[in-house]
Amino acid sequence: MTSSRKNKTIYIDKEAASVLELVANSLLLPVTKLMCEKGSEEVLKTGLLDGKSFPFPFILAPSGKKNEKTISELEIGQEITILCEGDEFATLIIEETYKIDPNERVKHIYGTDDATHPGVMATIKRLGSWAISGEYTLIKPKENINKNKIEEAKKLIEAKHTSSLFMAANPLHRGHERLIRQTLESTDLLVIFLLKPYDSHNINYEIRKEALEYFINNFLPKNRVIVVPLENSYIFAGYNEIIIDSIVAKNYGCDRMTIGRNHAGLGMFYDCNSNKSIIDRVTGIDIEIQIASEYVYCDQCTTLVSKNTCPHGQHHQISYHSDSILELLEAGILPPAVLIRKEISALLLAKLYPNRFKNLEKLYYDTFAAKGLLEEHSEKDFYLELMKLYQTTSLT
């Protein structure tokens, strides 16, 4: 192997690197390498790779004049070094280089190249017009400890079925909790893939993970639930998201996947006198896909209910829209307990607004009934007590 110092180099970002790591860890099988032009055309034509569903070509076409000039001059059999944020990330033996149309590429992923579509412009900016294909080797491969954790958990509880959920939990609300519980009802082990998006309009991943683990550790049989981080790159963002999710879940060892009715890409279409969805296009992936009920809070039922069983109309139902709940939290407002469990709200606001109050202890003792003893209280304690006051009804 030629020394990487003498190799030509191309540059990628962390998002591209995360997808290359998925393949290197056998989590996007049947994909094992970057596709050549002929292989890409075949996937576009059939939607299959080795007889299994794969929605679009797996290619690497990084943007930038320097990258495009380098790729256009490469020769078959030449070894190159792939750099990520200045560090050597992988080496690759060139099988082929070929031109692509970035606009067509985003159409294959998102179903459109409309610049107003969320994600389209961000992806276009990351795409160049030259693609490279071939097998690559990570320079510092990391062991996938989560795959091992899942296998160990299966053996520990002798799991016959392992289900998966993909969620951002941004933030974790009551609808998420019911979806998790519903999935646990029909499985032995549940793997929650917690998404790590690359945009800033998200609660920090570590905070979302802490909130999810708090719920699991305090309100669920924790030996039956595992949280796995998943870099939520652009390949998961399109209308084929369900296919990619099912591939990843299967390669992690899951035999079932639960999705909500509002899951991206689930939209129905009419074909040959029958209603179908993207699920009907999943071929060769041995995983059972279950569609969960949509849950709402009904002010007549006064509880969380399935829309399938609630007899009251939409004017009595509160839907769980994560973006609206997130807006409340970002404004520093404590969401009602019917939207988010009070312990989760307290945790999130305490993390989002550390040291928010000038004199927390004075505010605490002036606002709430106290035992008469001087005690230290955290901002989380303050929000929990404040929620109790919001729920007091004797004067309302």
Side-chain angles (χ1 to χ4, degrees):
M1 181 180 287
T2 308
S3 169
S4 62
R5 294 181 183 178
K6 298 178 182 178
N7 292 347
K8 286 196 172 184
T9 56
I10 62 169
Y11 304 84
I12 64 172
D13 58 18
K14 282 189 174 181
E15 188 168 352
S18 73
V19 183
L20 293 177
E21 284 182 329
L22 281 177
V23 172
N25 288 320
S26 301
L27 295 173
L28 280 181
L29 291 173
V31 173
T32 59
K33 64 178 183 177
L34 295 165
M35 295 179 184
C36 63
E37 187 171 20
K38 184 178 179 181
S40 295
E41 290 172 354
E42 186 65 20
V43 168
L44 288 176
K45 182 180 177 181
T46 65
L48 299 172
L49 178 64
D50 296 337
K52 298 179 180 180
S53 289
F54 206 83
F56 42 74
F58 184 75
I59 66 172
L60 180 62
S63 63
K65 292 181 180 179
K66 206 169 185 179
N67 279 335
E68 297 208 3
K69 183 176 186 301
T70 299
I71 295 173
S72 67
E73 296 172 351
L74 293 173
E75 299 176 358
I76 295 174
Q78 188 173 355
E79 182 179 82
I80 65 167
T81 300
I82 300 173
L83 299 179
C84 178
E85 297 192 342
D87 295 325
E88 292 186 356
F89 175 75
T91 58
L92 180 142
I93 305 296
I94 297 297
E95 182 180 311
E96 184 183 12
T97 62
Y98 55 97
K99 297 208 75 174
I100 68 158
D101 181 344
N103 286 80
E104 285 300 311
R105 172 67 173 167
V106 295
K107 280 183 186 177
H108 302 151
I109 297 169
Y110 297 101
T112 179
D113 61 353
D114 185 349
T116 63
H117 182 283
V120 165
M121 284 311 296
T123 302
I124 281 280
K125 290 175 182 177
R126 300 178 60 256
L127 286 173
S129 56
W130 280 91
I132 56 176
S133 71
E135 295 187 359
Y136 60 89
T137 303
L138 300 185
I139 292 174
K140 295 178 181 178
K142 302 172 188 172
E143 182 184 6
N144 194 309
I145 59 173
N146 292 301
K147 204 169 183 179
N148 297 335
K149 276 171 59 178
I150 293 170
E151 288 305 313
E152 288 171 6
K154 280 183 180 181
K155 291 177 183 176
L156 183 65
I157 64 173
E158 297 181 348
K160 293 180 180 178
H161 293 290
T162 302
S163 294
S164 58
L165 278 173
F166 290 75
M167 62 173 57
N170 184 44
L172 180 73
H173 54 61
R174 295 283 192 177
H176 290 135
E177 290 188 14
R178 182 59 63 90
L179 180 60
I180 291 169
R181 289 185 187 278
Q182 180 186 347
T183 305
L184 267 175
E185 287 285 347
S186 59
T187 195
D188 302 307
L189 182 68
L190 173 60
V191 180
I192 300 177
F193 293 98
L194 188 59
L195 307 182
K196 298 177 71 173
Y198 286 86
D199 58 76
S200 58
H201 190 63
N202 283 279
I203 299 173
N204 178 280
Y205 171 81
E206 294 301 330
I207 296 175
R208 288 184 287 116
K209 182 171 180 280
E210 185 176 344
L212 180 57
E213 288 181 338
Y214 177 87
F215 171 64
I216 293 168
N217 291 331
N218 289 277
F219 302 102
L220 295 176
K222 56 186 178 182
N223 65 327
R224 293 179 55 208
V225 186
I226 293 176
V227 179
V228 172
L230 185 66
E231 303 283 349
N232 192 28
S233 72
Y234 71 97
I235 70 167
F236 293 94
Y239 70 111
N240 291 298
E241 178 185 340
I242 290 172
I243 297 178
I244 298 293
D245 286 351
S246 65
I247 290 170
V248 171
K250 181 62 182 178
N251 286 316
Y252 261 109
C254 302
D255 59 289
R256 293 175 178 175
M257 181 173 78
T258 300
I259 58 175
R261 290 192 179 276
N262 59 351
H263 192 290
L266 186 57
M268 305 295 289
F269 61 90
Y270 198 66
D271 181 45
C272 297
N273 300 316
S274 64
N275 287 323
K276 294 186 177 180
S277 75
I278 194 72
I279 294 173
D280 297 291
R281 290 172 46 197
V282 177
T283 302
I285 304 168
D286 187 19
I287 191 167
E288 180 185 342
I289 302 176
Q290 302 170 328
I291 303 176
S293 302
E294 181 180 355
Y295 287 100
V296 294
Y297 179 84
C298 174
D299 64 8
Q300 295 295 298
C301 298
T302 63
T303 189
L304 198 69
V305 293
S306 163
K307 290 189 80 170
N308 293 335
T309 59
C310 178
H312 308 109
Q314 286 188 346
H315 54 291
H316 287 294
Q317 297 171 346
I318 299 173
S319 295
Y320 289 85
H321 297 294
S322 293
D323 52 350
S324 296
I325 299 173
L326 178 59
E327 193 171 342
L328 290 177
L329 288 167
E330 289 179 332
I333 298 173
L334 195 60
V338 297
L339 297 179
I340 299 186
R341 184 180 294 274
K342 62 181 184 293
E343 295 90 347
I344 300 296
S345 290
L347 185 156
L348 293 175
L349 281 176
K351 294 286 185 179
L352 291 173
Y353 294 94
N355 305 315
R356 184 181 190 184
F357 304 105
K358 293 179 181 178
N359 190 336
L360 179 64
E361 292 304 322
K362 181 179 185 303
L363 185 60
Y364 191 96
Y365 281 102
D366 286 350
T367 308
F368 311 121
K371 297 176 182 178
L373 300 173
L374 290 177
E375 299 175 337
E376 286 190 10
H377 298 94
S378 67
E379 289 183 328
K380 183 178 176 182
D381 296 331
F382 175 82
Y383 290 119
L384 283 171
E385 292 299 319
L386 191 61
M387 178 62 80
K388 290 178 184 177
L389 284 189
Y390 283 145
Q391 294 174 308
T392 299
T393 58
S394 61
L395 296 177
T396 59

